[in-house]
Amino acid sequence: FDFINSQFTTVTGYTLRDLNALSLDKFLSLFHPHDAQRVSRHREALATAADDTALDVEYRFQSADGRWIWLLSHDSVFDRDADGSVRRVLGSFVDVTARREAEEQEQRRTAELATMHQRTLLAELVTGIADQLNQPLTALTHYCEAAQSLTVVVQQPPADPRNVLDAARHEAQPPRTVTRHLTHLLVGCPAAPP
């Protein structure tokens, strides 16, 4: 580096001496790994850019105190060698950390709202299923219990209706278990035993 202004040091914490003491690999490691390809493509584009072309790139950069900050760089070719290859680049940057953090927070908020919406739809679906299953099953259970109590006073026919009614009442229990599991799914806890 030939020159950096005081704003670069204020934002990143690095002085000109700090930067020049770094190897190229060490300097490149200061760019966030998820942004390394984008920064590399930007450097390649600068190597072939026309003199009147300015290129922008947004990336995370590790400041001297270890924080990741978002920067928007605006770079153009400043000087070339005799063969036309880029010798020096003139660049400016803006700290866009606050904007990026606000965007990320908005994305998280949007995702949370989508999740809440999905849970609401699921709750409506489960409530509908539970109502559709519970009403007839409750009626069936009550009818079986009533019929069972009537068989106590009636003399036993050849096939014991109490066994048939008891079996019917027990058959109604698994759908109730299903509705209990669906209901507990909504509150995020395991289903309670019957």
Side-chain angles (χ1 to χ4, degrees), residues 35-72:
D35 302 329
Q37 276 191 332
R38 184 178 325 118
V39 171
S40 178
R41 285 192 304 269
H42 177 73
R43 291 176 68 226
E44 290 168 6
L46 275 172
T48 60
D51 288 343
D52 60 348
T53 303
L55 300 174
D56 294 339
V57 64
E58 208 166 288
Y59 54 88
R60 283 163 286 189
F61 188 79
Q62 190 171 31
S63 64
D65 65 5
R67 291 178 301 117
W68 289 106
I69 55 176
W70 279 97
L71 301 176
L72 169 62

Side-chain angles (χ1 to χ4, degrees), residues 16-160:
L16 181 61
R17 180 179 292 197
D18 296 333
L19 293 177
N20 285 330
L22 299 175
S23 68
L24 179 60
D25 287 341
K26 179 60 178 166
F27 176 72
L28 293 176
S29 75
L30 296 176
F31 294 91
H32 194 282
H34 293 145
D35 302 329
Q37 276 191 332
R38 184 178 325 118
V39 171
S40 178
R41 285 192 304 269
H42 177 73
R43 291 176 68 226
E44 290 168 6
L46 275 172
T48 60
D51 288 343
D52 60 348
T53 303
L55 300 174
D56 294 339
V57 64
E58 208 166 288
Y59 54 88
R60 283 163 286 189
F61 188 79
Q62 190 171 31
S63 64
D65 65 5
R67 291 178 301 117
W68 289 106
I69 55 176
W70 279 97
L71 301 176
L72 169 62
S73 289
H74 185 78
D75 304 315
S76 59
V77 175
F78 180 69
D79 192 18
R80 294 185 183 274
D81 287 329
D83 65 359
S85 60
V86 175
R87 185 169 164 237
R88 288 190 291 179
V89 171
L90 178 64
S92 63
F93 74 92
V94 178
D95 182 352
V96 293
T97 304
R99 176 181 56 84
R100 289 302 295 243
E101 287 175 349
E103 289 171 356
E104 290 169 2
Q105 184 177 15
E106 182 62 28
Q107 289 171 352
R108 282 191 300 273
R109 203 173 305 133
T110 300
E112 289 170 3
L113 287 173
T115 299
M116 287 173 49
H117 180 68
Q118 289 173 343
R119 288 185 66 85
T120 300
L121 291 176
L122 181 61
E124 291 173 4
L125 176 65
V126 168
T127 301
I129 291 171
D131 284 346
Q132 293 296 316
L133 289 174
N134 277 334
Q135 290 174 359
L137 292 174
T138 299
L140 174 63
T141 301
H142 288 297
Y143 287 134
C144 288
E145 289 170 353
Q148 214 170 18
S149 65
L150 290 175
T151 61
V152 173
V153 291
V154 177
Q155 194 173 16
Q156 293 291 341
D160 189 353

